[in-house]
Amino acid sequence: MVLRPGSGHYEPIEWGEAFRLVACELNALATPDAATFYTSGRTSNEAAFMYQLFVRVFGTNNLPDCSNMCHESSGAALGAVIGIGKGCVKLSDFEKADAIFILGQNPGTNHPRMLTVLQAAKRRGCRIVSINPLAEVDPCASRTLRS
């Protein structure tokens, strides 16, 4: 899928064109370190291994794991308060919660794997409060969103 300049929606493209667009953007960078690559926690070990090989051959090691995206916004505070910058709650805990408070991030952009569990919790009557103090950019418009 591609979102072309001036368009308000994504459109399907062929793999060849997708690879050409990515190559053009990467080759236009001043240095490979100007790129950051990301992989999902749902990526297979084999796919993640091949991907990191590509990134290193490209010339950078800017390949954070999914914990960076999921916990970057809360990691500094968690480290100061509990001694580790990662969450200490298990998704299975959500099955028993009457209320869930999410502070400092947007689950839709920072915790995509959490959304199914949040949906199930909401369906069984759990109250969910999410506070995201960060202004987020709407990728489809030239405005900033607040959640």
Side-chain angles (χ1 to χ4, degrees):
M1 303 292 287
V2 66
L3 179 63
R4 300 197 190 278
S7 178
H9 64 279
Y10 286 90
E11 63 183 75
I13 60 172
E14 297 294 325
W15 279 108
E17 184 180 358
F19 288 132
R20 281 189 295 280
L21 284 171
V22 170
C24 182
E25 293 294 323
L26 290 175
N27 288 325
L29 297 174
T31 171
D33 287 331
T36 299
F37 298 83
Y38 171 78
T39 184
S40 166
R42 300 195 119 190
T43 304
S44 69
N45 286 338
E46 296 82 3
F49 177 76
M50 294 300 292
Y51 191 45
Q52 66 85 25
L53 286 178
F54 163 73
V55 171
R56 283 163 174 61
V57 168
F58 180 66
T60 187
N61 64 352
N62 290 341
L63 182 69
D65 67 12
C66 65
S67 294
N68 286 55
M69 182 178 99
C70 294
H71 299 285
E72 199 71 34
S73 59
S74 57
L78 286 171
V81 174
I82 65 172
I84 184 169
K86 305 286 188 226
C88 59
V89 177
K90 297 178 183 170
L91 289 179
S92 60
D93 293 339
F94 287 28
E95 297 169 10
K96 302 175 188 98
D98 294 322
I100 298 170
F101 296 86
I102 303 163
L103 308 172
Q105 68 272 345
N106 177 350
T109 56
N110 296 102
H111 302 287
R113 293 179 68 191
M114 182 195 292
L115 292 178
T116 301
V117 179
L118 286 175
Q119 184 180 43
K122 182 180 184 311
R123 285 184 177 151
R124 67 172 178 71
C126 179
R127 301 283 293 176
I128 299 170
V129 177
S130 178
I131 300 170
N132 179 14
L134 299 174
E136 299 217 11
V137 176
D138 179 349
C140 297
S142 60
R143 62 178 192 230
T144 300
L145 301 177
R146 287 218 174 267
S147 59

